[in-house]
Amino acid sequence: MNHLLTVEQLSSGEIADILKLAKEFKKGRGKPRQKQPLKGQTWALIFNKASTRTRVSFEVGIGELGGTSLCLSTNDIQMGRGETVADTARTLSRYIHGIVIRTYAQRDIEQFARAGTIPVINALTDDEHPCQILADLLTVVEKLGTLKGKKVVFFGDGACNVCNSWLFGAAKTGMEMWVAAPKKFQPGAEWVKRAAGNIHVTENVNEAAKNADVLYTDVWVSMGKEAEATERLKVLAPYQVNASVLKQAKPGALVMHCLPAYVGKEITADVFDANLKTIFDQAENRLHAQKAIMALLAKHR
Ligand code: CP
Ligand code: NVA
């Protein structure tokens, strides 16, 4: 593993390695003699979209692994004024040891990875959010003991980055995945085909939720889609995670949300509040999963 650009490019074995190491980092956090695989290294973060969890957990994680982090917004660097992604990659590769990028186009991080000589981590693009799904898988395995055979249902914008990464994450870990979404916001047929898993796409919320082990949702208006907000809020309203949907699921089913949450929209306040523990464990797990990702990338350089 030289980069983390997508879940699609990860093997099942690599996912297992990341989850195993993430559990070790979680267990050992704050204890003496923690491994510091980024000691003496500087990692940069480029954020071209807003972030709370990803940015803070990466900065904290880099520090805990012994490294130094620097956060750049695209407006601070010449890339914001037209310098190419490739030249930015060539330049930064002379100074730093790894980079974390949140942006719009997947092709930009791929181009960065090709032109540069340092590990690149996708911190969210319009296509995928791999760090999120690795933390989610860690959360499910912690709480349900295993991934294989568990039924996860994604409600709402099934054509978004988080759902795309989930298609691959579920397929590669042997989970059964359902997407409950209106036609316009279902995952593209090409994505489902590429994921090649036990994947079902439906407009029927109750059919999808039946006997589910995990109910998952994300915002209805992803970053960059603000102009479509009115239409999205209307069309996605029937795909809310609420008490009626939850009733169809297995007793004790996990309710997960990648956050930020818009309570009252994709999830009701009662369901969100009753599942705070899972949802914020999930947020915490971003830190542990990303430390594992960086440690493995640093090792394979
Ligand atoms: N879930 C997630 O990536 O959160 P942020 O946008 O706050 O980083
Ligand atoms: N789908 C959301 C995820 C936010 C973490 C977005 O892209 O805005």
Side-chain angles (χ1 to χ4, degrees):
M1 185 167 102
N2 297 320
H3 305 284
L4 177 69
L5 303 181
T6 61
V7 179
E8 182 172 15
Q9 289 160 3
L10 286 176
S11 67
S12 302
E14 285 168 333
I15 293 176
D17 289 345
I18 293 167
L19 299 184
K20 183 167 175 268
L21 190 55
K23 279 186 216 163
E24 283 170 29
F25 277 126
K26 185 167 186 172
K27 207 166 148 218
R29 189 173 183 220
K31 301 209 174 117
R33 288 196 293 282
Q34 271 283 283
K35 280 187 226 151
Q36 297 217 305
L38 302 192
K39 205 171 170 57
Q41 297 196 4
T42 300
W43 282 54
L45 292 86
I46 296 183
F47 277 78
N48 201 6
K49 284 178 175 171
S51 169
T52 299
R53 281 146 288 274
T54 310
R55 175 174 165 178
V56 175
S57 56
F58 264 111
E59 288 214 59
V60 169
I62 291 164
E64 289 185 4
L65 295 180
T68 303
S69 64
L70 62 113
C71 198
L72 308 164
S73 117
T74 350
N75 294 329
D76 300 332
I77 56 177
Q78 297 288 4
M79 208 162 70
R81 298 182 67 248
E83 184 169 20
T84 64
V85 171
D87 285 351
T88 308
R90 290 180 188 116
T91 305
L92 293 183
S93 293
R94 302 293 179 107
Y95 307 136
I96 61 173
H97 303 87
I99 189 141
V100 176
I101 306 176
R102 169 170 286 195
T103 193
Y104 294 86
Q106 180 74 24
R107 69 172 176 276
D108 284 351
I109 59 165
E110 278 163 9
Q111 202 178 357
F112 198 112
R114 272 196 307 275
T117 54
I118 54 174
V120 178
I121 298 179
N122 177 357
L124 181 148
T125 61
D126 291 343
D127 283 7
E128 276 223 35
H129 195 1
C131 297
Q132 179 68 55
I133 274 54
L134 289 160
D136 296 342
L137 292 171
L138 175 63
T139 311
V140 176
V141 86
E142 271 178 0
K143 295 186 184 295
L144 301 182
T146 177
L147 297 171
K148 203 169 166 53
K150 298 292 181 198
K151 176 176 176 179
V152 57
V153 189
F154 187 99
F155 293 88
D157 181 6
C160 81
N161 41 19
V162 171
C163 189
N164 285 341
S165 289
W166 252 113
L167 296 174
F168 295 106
K172 286 167 194 278
T173 57
M175 294 179 81
E176 175 184 343
M177 168 125 193
W178 286 68
V179 181
K183 281 257 170 325
K184 190 162 180 193
F185 295 103
Q186 291 183 348
E190 182 59 28
W191 286 88
V192 176
K193 196 170 155 214
R194 268 163 42 196
N198 184 0
I199 296 167
H200 310 260
V201 180
T202 177
E203 289 178 281
N204 187 328
V205 167
N206 289 329
E207 184 196 10
K210 207 156 187 56
N211 287 322
D213 296 288
V214 180
L215 305 180
Y216 195 107
T217 192
D218 181 11
V219 295
W220 286 342
V221 185
S222 282
M223 291 178 278
K225 306 287 184 195
E226 291 77 8
E228 301 170 7
T230 312
E231 186 207 356
R232 284 171 168 264
L233 298 190
K234 195 165 142 230
V235 182
L236 291 167
Y239 297 87
Q240 182 185 59
V241 173
N242 54 33
S244 141
V245 169
L246 195 51
K247 234 187 254 159
Q248 306 294 326
K250 278 198 188 135
L254 301 179
V255 174
M256 299 178 69
H257 194 308
C258 63
L259 301 172
Y262 291 82
V263 170
K265 294 202 166 59
E266 71 273 5
I267 190 164
T268 52
D270 56 335
V271 174
F272 187 76
D273 289 347
N275 292 280
L276 289 177
K277 171 84 172 82
T278 303
I279 292 167
F280 288 91
D281 282 350
Q282 194 187 342
E284 180 191 322
N285 281 341
R286 296 292 306 276
L287 172 67
H288 312 301
Q290 289 159 193
K291 281 168 73 177
I293 293 161
M294 290 187 286
L296 289 168
L297 289 174
K299 197 163 114 189
H300 290 123
R301 284 192 73 216

